[in-house]
């Protein structure tokens, strides 16, 4: 049982200012940050500590991973640093109201050899959340996630290809999947 959920997940909001700035007020260093402009239909932006701050994915699209230099640029002990991109901190289209959903995993990624493919994992066993990176082989495989118990839901994206995000969960059986994008 988690006594204080905000030690593992929290939401922050801010008004964009077109400048490099720190967004702080978390009780933890986030390992996954999902940012969305609340006033306009810009793409969702996802960043994680396993891939590195300057690696971005758009969870509402099938795009491959991007490496923007003006979006999320660093993870801080209580938040993150943003650049001046209109998608995460700009005001170029009027009001710049943003939301960031933040998850704590396990900090710096470690090598995990629990599966048939070695993975890089940042896992928070208290909250049952992990961020995992691996290189697929195109064949059936297993991948370690560092949680110690089977996950109830998995979201996966091939970062180097234009393809859908896939979501698997207990409630639809693991032989089926949903499309996030």
């Amino acid at each position: 049982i988690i006594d204080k959920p905000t030690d593992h997940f929290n939401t922050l909001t801010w008004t964009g200012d077109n400048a490099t700035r720190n967004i702080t007020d978390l009780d933890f260093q986030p390992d996954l940050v999902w940012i969305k402009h609340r006033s306009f239909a810009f793409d969702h932006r996802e960043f994680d500590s396993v891939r590195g701050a300057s690696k971005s994915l758009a969870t509402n699209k099938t795009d491959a991973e991007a490496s923007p230099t003006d979006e999320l640029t660093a993870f801080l002990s209580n938040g993150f640093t943003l650049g001046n991109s209109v998608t995460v901190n700009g005001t170029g289209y009027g009001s710049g109201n943003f939301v960031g959903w933040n998850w704590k995993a396990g900090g710096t990624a470690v090598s995990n050899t629990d599966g048939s493919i070695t993975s890089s994992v940042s896992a928070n066993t208290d909250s049952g959340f992990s961020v995992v990176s691996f290189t697929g082989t195109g064949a059936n495989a297993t991948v370690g996630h560092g949680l110690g118990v089977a996950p109830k839901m998995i979201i996966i994206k091939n970062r180097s290809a234009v393809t859908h995000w896939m979501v698997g969960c207990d409630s639809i059986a693991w032989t089926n999947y949903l499309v996030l994008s």
Side-chain angles (χ1 to χ4, degrees):
I1 296 176
I2 294 176
D3 293 329
K4 187 177 173 193
T6 56
D7 284 345
H8 303 275
F9 171 83
N10 209 339
T11 303
L12 298 176
T13 59
W14 63 94
T15 301
D17 65 3
N18 285 336
T20 298
R21 68 189 287 196
N22 292 337
I23 304 295
T24 56
D25 287 333
L26 294 174
D27 292 333
F28 59 89
Q29 178 173 324
D31 292 300
L32 177 71
V33 178
W34 185 327
I35 297 174
K36 177 69 178 98
H37 198 300
R38 297 186 307 155
S39 305
F40 295 95
F42 292 133
D43 294 332
H44 295 246
R45 307 306 281 170
E46 189 262 60
F47 308 87
D48 65 75
S49 62
V50 173
R51 293 178 300 125
S54 64
K55 302 291 184 182
S56 174
L57 289 165
T59 54
N60 61 306
K61 294 179 126 183
T62 59
D63 293 359
E65 180 179 77
S67 299
T69 58
D70 60 351
E71 292 186 349
L72 191 142
T73 59
F75 292 99
L76 306 173
S77 63
N78 62 345
F80 45 90
T81 302
L82 293 176
N84 62 354
S85 171
V86 70
T87 60
V88 298
N89 191 38
T91 60
Y93 293 88
S95 66
N97 296 310
F98 296 88
V99 61
W101 298 282
N102 306 275
W103 287 264
K104 176 184 177 183
T108 302
V110 297
S111 181
N112 184 301
T113 58
D114 289 343
S116 60
I117 295 177
T118 300
S119 57
S120 295
V121 176
S122 176
N124 180 339
T125 56
D126 291 337
S127 66
F129 174 78
S130 66
V131 177
V132 179
S133 177
F134 65 94
T135 301
T137 63
N140 286 340
T142 57
V143 179
H145 47 71
L147 295 176
V149 297
K152 301 280 186 194
M153 182 174 90
I154 297 172
I155 301 173
I156 191 166
K157 171 70 171 100
N158 180 337
R159 299 185 332 255
S160 61
V162 176
T163 186
H164 289 288
W165 292 71
M166 297 171 66
V167 180
C169 61
D170 280 350
S171 61
I172 63 168
W174 289 101
T175 54
N176 300 310
Y177 65 91
L178 303 169
V179 175
L180 179 65
S181 48

